[in-house]
Amino acid sequence: MSEPQRYEFSSLQAFVESALLVGGADAPSARAATRAMMHGSRIGVDSHGVRLLPYYLSVIASGEINGHPQVVVERGPGSTAVLDADGAIGHLACYRAMEEAVDIAKTQGIGAVTIKRMSHMGAAGAYALWAAEQGHIGLLTANSDAAVRLHDGRDAFHGTSPIAIGAPAPGQRPWLMDMATSAVPFNRVLLYRSLGITLPAGVAVDETGRPTTNAEAARVLSPVGGEQGYKGAALAGLVEILSAPLTGMALSTELMPMYGQTTGAPRDMGGFAMAINPDAFIGPQTYGAIMTRYLANIRAAPPAEGATGKPMAPGDREWAVEDERKLNGVPVDPVSIAAFQELSAKFGLTMPAKV
Amino acid sequence: MSEPQRYEFSSLQAFVESALLVGGADAPSARAATRAMMHGSRIGVDSHGVRLLPYYLSVIASGEINGHPQVVVERGPGSTAVLDADGAIGHLACYRAMEEAVDIAKTQGIGAVTIKRMSHMGAAGAYALWAAEQGHIGLLTANSDAAVRLHDGRDAFHGTSPIAIGAPAPGQRPWLMDMATSAVPFNRVLLYRSLGITLPAGVAVDETGRPTTNAEAARVLSPVGGEQGYKGAALAGLVEILSAPLTGMALSTELMPMYGQTTGAPRDMGGFAMAINPDAFIGPQTYGAIMTRYLANIRAAPPAEGATGKPMAPGDREWAVEDERKLNGVPVDPVSIAAFQELSAKFGLTMPAKV
């Protein structure tokens, strides 16, 4: 297998957006999906970066994602709104929902928007980050098809159920957490299978539900927490409650899988966006001063003896990758490059510029 | 050491409330603290149950907790309020904050209240449960003095930073999660020390930051998640951000410890209460139907082979304990019984009735 190739950021971005446009997405859908995929590729969340372009094109083509949705946002009482995505690509739905949440929070102090009838939204952190960049604490979550067992459970029950939260910090990039509530992503299992190496203990089980470190035998992920996996499962439950009962959409066990034969039917996923405006609770000076001190304290915390890394604030690893990729371009894996070349030939698009 | 003794619930409750009243708490403080401690003792969270009565009495006596606070709630823009607890016992501050959050959510769909200048609030689940009993999704969190390291860190940095969330379910007790973001509570370490048994792997470190299973050597707790401890630390960070920068209160590392010599100075802790009204987003029938199906699915999920338990919904373990204790009374440990006997003699209170 050949090495990843580095591509120039804005050229890669233009390629992705053009492919979506010629592949059946309208301009708002293409712009939102490109922005969110480039978020992943910029900060090193490559699982949700440009490698997903061929997937999104395939489900736009099948009709599973509506490329020309009529997204409707209806304000509810006070600080609430409900967004009906009309089968849109999740990125469009989530950016739009977070924009509404921030808009509400500007005057109401807090804004919460439920998302109905969307599809896969990529990296949840993209939307929480955007809210933080507007000066708000942003939260975004969504459920997804079952891949993670309950604590003590055998079968897939919850999605990997990400929780993304961003918090602004004056004069620096935000505090940003974007965590799956599973111990590891399923992509890790697939990677370890192909590399023939063993999994860490406690992250997956075989078909009987017994813990396994054999990547070949691993069938279902475990919730984060190991012996305290009931905590990870409860966090996944929070995601489920905000995404299904609160939106009227399906439970994780009832959602069509992301991969596999697409039937062309919409996946009708649910999600939840919330913004908290610090200015509504506390003066920006006080918030900013304490946040600055908190982040400085994390970065100055002495490492444990024998630790492989040093303490970092959530997001610090990502900002370091962003800085490096700004200099050296965005790496794209060989499988995705081959897919891009096919798209280039099929749609008559110029390949992105290498660095 | 003798066995725990079982006490009759309402008699125990009356004893606790009377002791607080004669010990310097005003009626609202005594009522709130009793209610929250009895929550812990009723559902099996004994660490935050009636055993804390002597602690609260000692810090009311020293002036660290203001037994006669002027709690002030000021409504902010839209869906927000700020509660100044005036050094109150945390239970009073948290119930009052959650009442305000629910009251706001009734008309605004969501309500969020920051809590300033309170003291220890016991089991966070008490307040989230109350919100759920009113038909709202409730969240309560607060920071506390540093006891948990950062991922890769050596020293105590975050409090055990609980996150409690309750969600209503029609015709049954709520879904209720109340989790510390540390792997285990420090009380577990103390218990294992006294029993001379080893800790599970990955829950604590020694003074150099190296993982240890030796309870004697354990100095600092690890964040929940083991190898994925950065997830637990990020969740603790969320608690810190909502409790300190958003309230103007101190960071966990800056708070006076809960135990040790009390100086009589207020601890000035911060916290955050939020309520989400499902009716503002979705009809109660739809919410209730999906929530009912979700809980039934959890309870019907097949257990893993070799699992020591079966899958449970967050709260199910607690409701089982509640049912058992309703029948058989509330167990109180011998150390607390001795303390109660002292209080009984000191204040001329009748001891609670045994079962």
Side-chain angles (χ1 to χ4, degrees), chain A residues 253-296:
Chain A
T253 42
E254 301 159 350
L255 287 170
M256 278 198 311
M258 177 173 173
Y259 293 114
Q261 188 62 46
T262 164
T263 65
R267 293 180 74 209
D268 280 351
M269 296 169 68
F272 182 79
M274 186 170 75
I276 299 174
N277 180 359
D279 296 354
F281 297 96
I282 188 94
Q285 274 72 30
T286 305
Y287 172 86
I290 303 178
M291 198 67 198
T292 301
R293 196 162 82 234
Y294 175 57
L295 290 169

mmCIF file of all heavy atoms in Angstrom, chain A residues 253-296:
data_model
loop_
_atom_site.group_PDB
_atom_site.id
_atom_site.type_symbol
_atom_site.label_atom_id
_atom_site.label_comp_id
_atom_site.label_asym_id
_atom_site.label_seq_id
_atom_site.Cartn_x
_atom_site.Cartn_y
_atom_site.Cartn_z
ATOM 1 N N THR A 253 -31.127 1.333 17.614
ATOM 2 C CA THR A 253 -31.365 -0.041 17.159
ATOM 3 C C THR A 253 -32.322 -0.083 15.967
ATOM 4 O O THR A 253 -32.407 -1.100 15.281
ATOM 5 C CB THR A 253 -31.981 -0.899 18.287
ATOM 6 O OG1 THR A 253 -32.980 -0.124 18.953
ATOM 7 C CG2 THR A 253 -30.934 -1.349 19.277
ATOM 8 N N GLU A 254 -33.048 0.997 15.735
ATOM 9 C CA GLU A 254 -34.052 1.016 14.668
ATOM 10 C C GLU A 254 -33.560 1.725 13.410
ATOM 11 O O GLU A 254 -34.256 1.720 12.383
ATOM 12 C CB GLU A 254 -35.320 1.727 15.184
ATOM 13 C CG GLU A 254 -35.936 1.061 16.405
ATOM 14 C CD GLU A 254 -36.853 1.966 17.224
ATOM 15 O OE1 GLU A 254 -36.877 3.189 16.973
ATOM 16 O OE2 GLU A 254 -37.535 1.459 18.122
ATOM 17 N N LEU A 255 -32.393 2.380 13.488
ATOM 18 C CA LEU A 255 -31.877 3.131 12.331
ATOM 19 C C LEU A 255 -31.247 2.191 11.308
ATOM 20 O O LEU A 255 -30.582 1.221 11.669
ATOM 21 C CB LEU A 255 -30.813 4.140 12.783
ATOM 22 C CG LEU A 255 -31.305 5.377 13.538
ATOM 23 C CD1 LEU A 255 -30.104 6.127 14.123
ATOM 24 C CD2 LEU A 255 -32.099 6.291 12.617
ATOM 25 N N MET A 256 -31.424 2.523 10.036
ATOM 26 C CA MET A 256 -30.716 1.772 8.997
ATOM 27 C C MET A 256 -29.220 2.001 9.151
ATOM 28 O O MET A 256 -28.789 3.108 9.440
ATOM 29 C CB MET A 256 -31.142 2.270 7.616
ATOM 30 C CG MET A 256 -32.446 1.655 7.150
ATOM 31 S SD MET A 256 -32.596 1.871 5.371
ATOM 32 C CE MET A 256 -32.233 3.609 5.222
ATOM 33 N N PRO A 257 -28.418 0.941 8.924
ATOM 34 C CA PRO A 257 -26.967 1.114 9.035
ATOM 35 C C PRO A 257 -26.449 2.160 8.042
ATOM 36 O O PRO A 257 -27.017 2.353 6.972
ATOM 37 C CB PRO A 257 -26.406 -0.263 8.698
ATOM 38 C CG PRO A 257 -27.543 -1.198 8.661
ATOM 39 C CD PRO A 257 -28.808 -0.426 8.574
ATOM 40 N N MET A 258 -25.346 2.807 8.443
ATOM 41 C CA MET A 258 -24.719 3.804 7.568
ATOM 42 C C MET A 258 -24.162 3.145 6.323
ATOM 43 O O MET A 258 -24.294 3.659 5.228
ATOM 44 C CB MET A 258 -23.587 4.491 8.345
ATOM 45 C CG MET A 258 -22.804 5.507 7.548
ATOM 46 S SD MET A 258 -21.636 6.399 8.635
ATOM 47 C CE MET A 258 -20.724 7.342 7.397
ATOM 48 N N TYR A 259 -23.506 1.986 6.528
ATOM 49 C CA TYR A 259 -22.870 1.317 5.393
ATOM 50 C C TYR A 259 -23.709 0.116 4.963
ATOM 51 O O TYR A 259 -24.651 -0.269 5.630
ATOM 52 C CB TYR A 259 -21.457 0.872 5.770
ATOM 53 C CG TYR A 259 -20.538 2.037 6.015
ATOM 54 C CD1 TYR A 259 -20.016 2.269 7.286
ATOM 55 C CD2 TYR A 259 -20.213 2.921 4.979
ATOM 56 C CE1 TYR A 259 -19.169 3.354 7.512
ATOM 57 C CE2 TYR A 259 -19.372 4.004 5.208
ATOM 58 C CZ TYR A 259 -18.852 4.209 6.471
ATOM 59 O OH TYR A 259 -18.022 5.272 6.700
ATOM 60 N N GLY A 260 -23.332 -0.475 3.866
ATOM 61 C CA GLY A 260 -24.081 -1.607 3.338
ATOM 62 C C GLY A 260 -24.935 -1.115 2.193
ATOM 63 O O GLY A 260 -24.881 0.050 1.821
ATOM 64 N N GLN A 261 -25.733 -2.019 1.641
ATOM 65 C CA GLN A 261 -26.568 -1.686 0.490
ATOM 66 C C GLN A 261 -27.520 -0.543 0.845
ATOM 67 O O GLN A 261 -28.308 -0.658 1.778
ATOM 68 C CB GLN A 261 -27.348 -2.939 0.062
ATOM 69 C CG GLN A 261 -28.099 -2.789 -1.238
ATOM 70 C CD GLN A 261 -27.149 -2.520 -2.411
ATOM 71 O OE1 GLN A 261 -26.123 -3.181 -2.552
ATOM 72 N NE2 GLN A 261 -27.475 -1.538 -3.248
ATOM 73 N N THR A 262 -27.432 0.572 0.131
ATOM 74 C CA THR A 262 -28.371 1.663 0.373
ATOM 75 C C THR A 262 -29.674 1.383 -0.371
ATOM 76 O O THR A 262 -29.676 0.980 -1.530
ATOM 77 C CB THR A 262 -27.780 3.033 -0.034
ATOM 78 O OG1 THR A 262 -28.853 3.983 -0.122
ATOM 79 C CG2 THR A 262 -27.074 2.982 -1.378
ATOM 80 N N THR A 263 -30.775 1.551 0.344
ATOM 81 C CA THR A 263 -32.082 1.279 -0.260
ATOM 82 C C THR A 263 -32.649 2.530 -0.916
ATOM 83 O O THR A 263 -33.683 2.477 -1.576
ATOM 84 C CB THR A 263 -33.094 0.841 0.821
ATOM 85 O OG1 THR A 263 -33.291 1.954 1.708
ATOM 86 C CG2 THR A 263 -32.588 -0.347 1.598
ATOM 87 N N GLY A 264 -31.986 3.660 -0.673
ATOM 88 C CA GLY A 264 -32.527 4.913 -1.183
ATOM 89 C C GLY A 264 -33.551 5.545 -0.256
ATOM 90 O O GLY A 264 -34.018 6.651 -0.503
ATOM 91 N N ALA A 265 -33.889 4.826 0.838
ATOM 92 C CA ALA A 265 -34.837 5.399 1.807
ATOM 93 C C ALA A 265 -34.073 6.294 2.777
ATOM 94 O O ALA A 265 -32.943 5.982 3.154
ATOM 95 C CB ALA A 265 -35.533 4.280 2.580
ATOM 96 N N PRO A 266 -34.688 7.412 3.192
ATOM 97 C CA PRO A 266 -34.001 8.308 4.125
ATOM 98 C C PRO A 266 -33.764 7.627 5.465
ATOM 99 O O PRO A 266 -34.562 6.793 5.891
ATOM 100 C CB PRO A 266 -34.955 9.489 4.268
ATOM 101 C CG PRO A 266 -36.278 9.013 3.804
ATOM 102 C CD PRO A 266 -36.039 7.902 2.838
ATOM 103 N N ARG A 267 -32.664 7.991 6.134
ATOM 104 C CA ARG A 267 -32.345 7.357 7.422
ATOM 105 C C ARG A 267 -33.083 8.016 8.580
ATOM 106 O O ARG A 267 -33.191 7.435 9.651
ATOM 107 C CB ARG A 267 -30.831 7.364 7.660
ATOM 108 C CG ARG A 267 -30.089 6.461 6.674
ATOM 109 C CD ARG A 267 -28.597 6.470 6.924
ATOM 110 N NE ARG A 267 -28.254 5.712 8.113
ATOM 111 C CZ ARG A 267 -27.197 5.975 8.891
ATOM 112 N NH1 ARG A 267 -26.406 6.981 8.610
ATOM 113 N NH2 ARG A 267 -26.945 5.240 9.943
ATOM 114 N N ASP A 268 -33.560 9.247 8.383
ATOM 115 C CA ASP A 268 -34.392 9.904 9.401
ATOM 116 C C ASP A 268 -33.748 9.920 10.780
ATOM 117 O O ASP A 268 -34.347 9.491 11.778
ATOM 118 C CB ASP A 268 -35.773 9.237 9.477
ATOM 119 C CG ASP A 268 -36.687 9.724 8.345
ATOM 120 O OD1 ASP A 268 -36.314 10.689 7.634
ATOM 121 O OD2 ASP A 268 -37.770 9.141 8.171
ATOM 122 N N MET A 269 -32.523 10.430 10.844
ATOM 123 C CA MET A 269 -31.817 10.510 12.115
ATOM 124 C C MET A 269 -32.197 11.786 12.870
ATOM 125 O O MET A 269 -32.620 12.774 12.274
ATOM 126 C CB MET A 269 -30.309 10.470 11.868
ATOM 127 C CG MET A 269 -29.857 9.151 11.259
ATOM 128 S SD MET A 269 -28.160 9.190 10.668
ATOM 129 C CE MET A 269 -27.297 9.326 12.233
ATOM 130 N N GLY A 270 -32.018 11.717 14.186
ATOM 131 C CA GLY A 270 -32.297 12.861 15.044
ATOM 132 C C GLY A 270 -31.033 13.395 15.700
ATOM 133 O O GLY A 270 -30.025 12.682 15.799
ATOM 134 N N GLY A 271 -31.088 14.623 16.141
ATOM 135 C CA GLY A 271 -29.949 15.231 16.822
ATOM 136 C C GLY A 271 -30.386 16.423 17.650
ATOM 137 O O GLY A 271 -31.573 16.779 17.665
ATOM 138 N N PHE A 272 -29.436 17.036 18.319
ATOM 139 C CA PHE A 272 -29.734 18.104 19.276
ATOM 140 C C PHE A 272 -28.579 19.093 19.297
ATOM 141 O O PHE A 272 -27.423 18.697 19.392
ATOM 142 C CB PHE A 272 -29.914 17.478 20.666
ATOM 143 C CG PHE A 272 -30.285 18.445 21.761
ATOM 144 C CD1 PHE A 272 -31.602 18.886 21.896
ATOM 145 C CD2 PHE A 272 -29.332 18.905 22.660
ATOM 146 C CE1 PHE A 272 -31.956 19.762 22.924
ATOM 147 C CE2 PHE A 272 -29.680 19.782 23.687
ATOM 148 C CZ PHE A 272 -30.994 20.209 23.816
ATOM 149 N N ALA A 273 -28.909 20.375 19.154
ATOM 150 C CA ALA A 273 -27.898 21.440 19.205
ATOM 151 C C ALA A 273 -28.279 22.426 20.299
ATOM 152 O O ALA A 273 -29.454 22.773 20.438
ATOM 153 C CB ALA A 273 -27.820 22.158 17.866
ATOM 154 N N MET A 274 -27.282 22.870 21.055
ATOM 155 C CA MET A 274 -27.555 23.825 22.131
ATOM 156 C C MET A 274 -26.419 24.827 22.226
ATOM 157 O O MET A 274 -25.255 24.482 22.039
ATOM 158 C CB MET A 274 -27.709 23.093 23.465
ATOM 159 C CG MET A 274 -28.130 23.994 24.609
ATOM 160 S SD MET A 274 -28.585 23.067 26.101
ATOM 161 C CE MET A 274 -26.971 22.600 26.686
ATOM 162 N N ALA A 275 -26.776 26.075 22.494
ATOM 163 C CA ALA A 275 -25.764 27.112 22.711
ATOM 164 C C ALA A 275 -26.060 27.827 24.019
ATOM 165 O O ALA A 275 -27.217 28.122 24.326
ATOM 166 C CB ALA A 275 -25.770 28.099 21.554
ATOM 167 N N ILE A 276 -25.018 28.082 24.792
ATOM 168 C CA ILE A 276 -25.126 28.821 26.051
ATOM 169 C C ILE A 276 -24.279 30.085 25.909
ATOM 170 O O ILE A 276 -23.098 30.005 25.568
ATOM 171 C CB ILE A 276 -24.612 27.973 27.239
ATOM 172 C CG1 ILE A 276 -25.442 26.694 27.401
ATOM 173 C CG2 ILE A 276 -24.628 28.784 28.533
ATOM 174 C CD1 ILE A 276 -24.906 25.739 28.463
ATOM 175 N N ASN A 277 -24.879 31.219 26.128
ATOM 176 C CA ASN A 277 -24.210 32.511 25.986
ATOM 177 C C ASN A 277 -23.633 32.938 27.338
ATOM 178 O O ASN A 277 -24.393 33.334 28.229
ATOM 179 C CB ASN A 277 -25.239 33.531 25.487
ATOM 180 C CG ASN A 277 -24.654 34.903 25.304
ATOM 181 O OD1 ASN A 277 -23.480 35.134 25.560
ATOM 182 N ND2 ASN A 277 -25.488 35.834 24.854
ATOM 183 N N PRO A 278 -22.322 32.868 27.529
ATOM 184 C CA PRO A 278 -21.751 33.199 28.848
ATOM 185 C C PRO A 278 -22.135 34.603 29.311
ATOM 186 O O PRO A 278 -22.328 34.823 30.514
ATOM 187 C CB PRO A 278 -20.238 33.097 28.622
ATOM 188 C CG PRO A 278 -20.076 32.197 27.451
ATOM 189 C CD PRO A 278 -21.275 32.446 26.573
ATOM 190 N N ASP A 279 -22.293 35.534 28.371
ATOM 191 C CA ASP A 279 -22.610 36.918 28.749
ATOM 192 C C ASP A 279 -23.945 37.027 29.486
ATOM 193 O O ASP A 279 -24.188 38.000 30.200
ATOM 194 C CB ASP A 279 -22.670 37.822 27.511
ATOM 195 C CG ASP A 279 -21.319 37.925 26.827
ATOM 196 O OD1 ASP A 279 -20.331 37.390 27.382
ATOM 197 O OD2 ASP A 279 -21.248 38.506 25.733
ATOM 198 N N ALA A 280 -24.834 36.062 29.302
ATOM 199 C CA ALA A 280 -26.132 36.110 29.970
ATOM 200 C C ALA A 280 -26.009 35.761 31.455
ATOM 201 O O ALA A 280 -26.910 36.041 32.238
ATOM 202 C CB ALA A 280 -27.112 35.148 29.298
ATOM 203 N N PHE A 281 -24.881 35.124 31.824
ATOM 204 C CA PHE A 281 -24.717 34.671 33.210
ATOM 205 C C PHE A 281 -23.644 35.454 33.970
ATOM 206 O O PHE A 281 -23.726 35.621 35.176
ATOM 207 C CB PHE A 281 -24.335 33.179 33.239
ATOM 208 C CG PHE A 281 -25.383 32.270 32.674
ATOM 209 C CD1 PHE A 281 -25.337 31.839 31.358
ATOM 210 C CD2 PHE A 281 -26.436 31.845 33.471
ATOM 211 C CE1 PHE A 281 -26.309 31.003 30.843
ATOM 212 C CE2 PHE A 281 -27.413 30.995 32.966
ATOM 213 C CZ PHE A 281 -27.354 30.583 31.642
ATOM 214 N N ILE A 282 -22.621 35.883 33.230
ATOM 215 C CA ILE A 282 -21.434 36.437 33.897
ATOM 216 C C ILE A 282 -20.771 37.405 32.919
ATOM 217 O O ILE A 282 -20.851 37.217 31.710
ATOM 218 C CB ILE A 282 -20.481 35.276 34.302
ATOM 219 C CG1 ILE A 282 -19.314 35.754 35.182
ATOM 220 C CG2 ILE A 282 -19.911 34.548 33.097
ATOM 221 C CD1 ILE A 282 -19.584 35.624 36.641
ATOM 222 N N GLY A 283 -20.137 38.419 33.428
ATOM 223 C CA GLY A 283 -19.443 39.356 32.548
ATOM 224 C C GLY A 283 -18.370 38.641 31.735
ATOM 225 O O GLY A 283 -17.747 37.696 32.231
ATOM 226 N N PRO A 284 -18.171 39.050 30.491
ATOM 227 C CA PRO A 284 -17.177 38.392 29.643
ATOM 228 C C PRO A 284 -15.761 38.458 30.235
ATOM 229 O O PRO A 284 -14.963 37.539 30.021
ATOM 230 C CB PRO A 284 -17.264 39.142 28.313
ATOM 231 C CG PRO A 284 -18.078 40.373 28.562
ATOM 232 C CD PRO A 284 -18.887 40.137 29.795
ATOM 233 N N GLN A 285 -15.461 39.513 30.995
ATOM 234 C CA GLN A 285 -14.113 39.606 31.591
ATOM 235 C C GLN A 285 -13.895 38.472 32.593
ATOM 236 O O GLN A 285 -12.860 37.818 32.575
ATOM 237 C CB GLN A 285 -13.911 40.958 32.311
ATOM 238 C CG GLN A 285 -13.442 42.086 31.396
ATOM 239 C CD GLN A 285 -14.539 42.561 30.451
ATOM 240 O OE1 GLN A 285 -15.720 42.496 30.787
ATOM 241 N NE2 GLN A 285 -14.167 43.008 29.256
ATOM 242 N N THR A 286 -14.889 38.261 33.453
ATOM 243 C CA THR A 286 -14.740 37.218 34.475
ATOM 244 C C THR A 286 -14.674 35.839 33.823
ATOM 245 O O THR A 286 -13.795 35.030 34.139
ATOM 246 C CB THR A 286 -15.921 37.265 35.473
ATOM 247 O OG1 THR A 286 -15.990 38.587 36.006
ATOM 248 C CG2 THR A 286 -15.736 36.271 36.590
ATOM 249 N N TYR A 287 -15.608 35.577 32.913
ATOM 250 C CA TYR A 287 -15.585 34.284 32.209
ATOM 251 C C TYR A 287 -14.227 34.068 31.547
ATOM 252 O O TYR A 287 -13.592 33.018 31.704
ATOM 253 C CB TYR A 287 -16.701 34.218 31.153
ATOM 254 C CG TYR A 287 -16.592 32.992 30.270
ATOM 255 C CD1 TYR A 287 -17.156 31.787 30.646
ATOM 256 C CD2 TYR A 287 -15.867 33.037 29.070
ATOM 257 C CE1 TYR A 287 -17.016 30.655 29.866
ATOM 258 C CE2 TYR A 287 -15.721 31.907 28.273
ATOM 259 C CZ TYR A 287 -16.303 30.718 28.677
ATOM 260 O OH TYR A 287 -16.145 29.605 27.911
ATOM 261 N N GLY A 288 -13.786 35.082 30.820
ATOM 262 C CA GLY A 288 -12.531 34.960 30.062
ATOM 263 C C GLY A 288 -11.329 34.769 30.969
ATOM 264 O O GLY A 288 -10.440 33.957 30.665
ATOM 265 N N ALA A 289 -11.301 35.479 32.076
ATOM 266 C CA ALA A 289 -10.148 35.384 32.981
ATOM 267 C C ALA A 289 -10.056 33.988 33.597
ATOM 268 O O ALA A 289 -8.966 33.400 33.674
ATOM 269 C CB ALA A 289 -10.262 36.439 34.080
ATOM 270 N N ILE A 290 -11.197 33.446 34.022
ATOM 271 C CA ILE A 290 -11.157 32.118 34.662
ATOM 272 C C ILE A 290 -10.854 31.044 33.623
ATOM 273 O O ILE A 290 -10.085 30.113 33.870
ATOM 274 C CB ILE A 290 -12.473 31.827 35.418
ATOM 275 C CG1 ILE A 290 -12.728 32.919 36.460
ATOM 276 C CG2 ILE A 290 -12.421 30.454 36.088
ATOM 277 C CD1 ILE A 290 -14.027 32.762 37.232
ATOM 278 N N MET A 291 -11.432 31.186 32.434
ATOM 279 C CA MET A 291 -11.178 30.209 31.364
ATOM 280 C C MET A 291 -9.691 30.220 30.983
ATOM 281 O O MET A 291 -9.090 29.155 30.779
ATOM 282 C CB MET A 291 -12.065 30.581 30.168
ATOM 283 C CG MET A 291 -12.249 29.488 29.170
ATOM 284 S SD MET A 291 -13.203 28.086 29.807
ATOM 285 C CE MET A 291 -12.704 26.852 28.582
ATOM 286 N N THR A 292 -9.112 31.396 30.891
ATOM 287 C CA THR A 292 -7.685 31.524 30.547
ATOM 288 C C THR A 292 -6.812 30.857 31.618
ATOM 289 O O THR A 292 -5.871 30.118 31.307
ATOM 290 C CB THR A 292 -7.320 33.016 30.422
ATOM 291 O OG1 THR A 292 -8.140 33.600 29.400
ATOM 292 C CG2 THR A 292 -5.856 33.201 30.068
ATOM 293 N N ARG A 293 -7.161 31.104 32.889
ATOM 294 C CA ARG A 293 -6.399 30.513 33.993
ATOM 295 C C ARG A 293 -6.537 28.990 33.976
ATOM 296 O O ARG A 293 -5.560 28.252 34.173
ATOM 297 C CB ARG A 293 -6.970 31.080 35.295
ATOM 298 C CG ARG A 293 -6.118 30.895 36.505
ATOM 299 C CD ARG A 293 -6.550 31.853 37.605
ATOM 300 N NE ARG A 293 -7.687 31.381 38.376
ATOM 301 C CZ ARG A 293 -8.815 32.067 38.583
ATOM 302 N NH1 ARG A 293 -8.992 33.275 38.054
ATOM 303 N NH2 ARG A 293 -9.777 31.556 39.328
ATOM 304 N N TYR A 294 -7.758 28.517 33.707
ATOM 305 C CA TYR A 294 -8.013 27.071 33.673
ATOM 306 C C TYR A 294 -7.164 26.392 32.592
ATOM 307 O O TYR A 294 -6.491 25.381 32.847
ATOM 308 C CB TYR A 294 -9.508 26.837 33.430
ATOM 309 C CG TYR A 294 -9.904 25.394 33.247
ATOM 310 C CD1 TYR A 294 -9.619 24.452 34.224
ATOM 311 C CD2 TYR A 294 -10.567 24.969 32.094
ATOM 312 C CE1 TYR A 294 -9.989 23.123 34.058
ATOM 313 C CE2 TYR A 294 -10.950 23.655 31.927
ATOM 314 C CZ TYR A 294 -10.650 22.727 32.903
ATOM 315 O OH TYR A 294 -11.007 21.420 32.744
ATOM 316 N N LEU A 295 -7.163 26.958 31.391
ATOM 317 C CA LEU A 295 -6.396 26.350 30.301
ATOM 318 C C LEU A 295 -4.898 26.409 30.585
ATOM 319 O O LEU A 295 -4.165 25.447 30.316
ATOM 320 C CB LEU A 295 -6.734 27.048 28.977
ATOM 321 C CG LEU A 295 -8.158 26.763 28.459
ATOM 322 C CD1 LEU A 295 -8.518 27.691 27.302
ATOM 323 C CD2 LEU A 295 -8.289 25.310 28.025
ATOM 324 N N ALA A 296 -4.431 27.513 31.150
ATOM 325 C CA ALA A 296 -3.002 27.632 31.499
ATOM 326 C C ALA A 296 -2.631 26.589 32.548
ATOM 327 O O ALA A 296 -1.559 25.966 32.472
ATOM 328 C CB ALA A 296 -2.702 29.038 31.999
#
